Amino acid sequence: MVNVGDCVAVFHSIHRVMKAEKILKEAGLDVLLIPVPRELSAECGMAIRFPRSLLSTVVETLAPRRLEIVDLWLKAADGYSSMAVE
């Protein structure tokens, strides 16, 4: 479900992640609502997956709506690494 080079963005609540998905899809961005990968959290939560190339656009699109990404992860061949939100 998450490919090498994809980002996984986690938000404060399911409400915020669903709102972010709607806004990003309306902007025509290639995003997908996914369960938070088990490697990142044992909790049942949702996240947004998108290509790393869209990171700046995702952040810029969500900023005016005050939808902050809480945790941002990059998928590598050997797992996930934490990223700073630009």
Side-chain angles (χ1 to χ4, degrees), residues 6-11 40 48-52 55-56 58-59 69-75 80-86:
D6 283 346
C7 291
V8 176
V10 179
F11 295 80
L40 303 179
I48 294 179
R49 186 211 74 199
F50 55 89
R52 184 178 186 175
L55 178 56
S56 295
V58 166
V59 172
I69 297 171
V70 175
D71 289 314
L72 182 63
W73 301 90
L74 178 65
K75 175 69 171 160
Y80 290 88
S81 59
S82 181
M83 296 180 65
V85 179
E86 298 176 356

Side-chain angles (χ1 to χ4, degrees), residues 10-70:
V10 179
F11 295 80
H12 280 292
S13 68
I14 188 69
H15 173 76
R16 288 181 179 264
V17 74
M18 291 176 73
K19 186 173 181 181
E21 178 203 26
K22 180 180 180 206
I23 290 165
L24 294 169
K25 283 193 172 190
E26 286 175 351
L29 300 178
D30 179 23
V31 301
L32 181 64
L33 186 66
I34 63 167
V36 174
R38 287 190 184 269
E39 298 94 332
L40 303 179
S41 175
E43 296 179 20
C44 296
M46 300 300 286
I48 294 179
R49 186 211 74 199
F50 55 89
R52 184 178 186 175
S53 60
L54 292 180
L55 178 56
S56 295
T57 305
V58 166
V59 172
E60 290 170 8
T61 302
L62 296 177
R65 291 159 179 94
R66 299 182 186 188
L67 287 169
E68 295 180 20
I69 297 171
V70 175

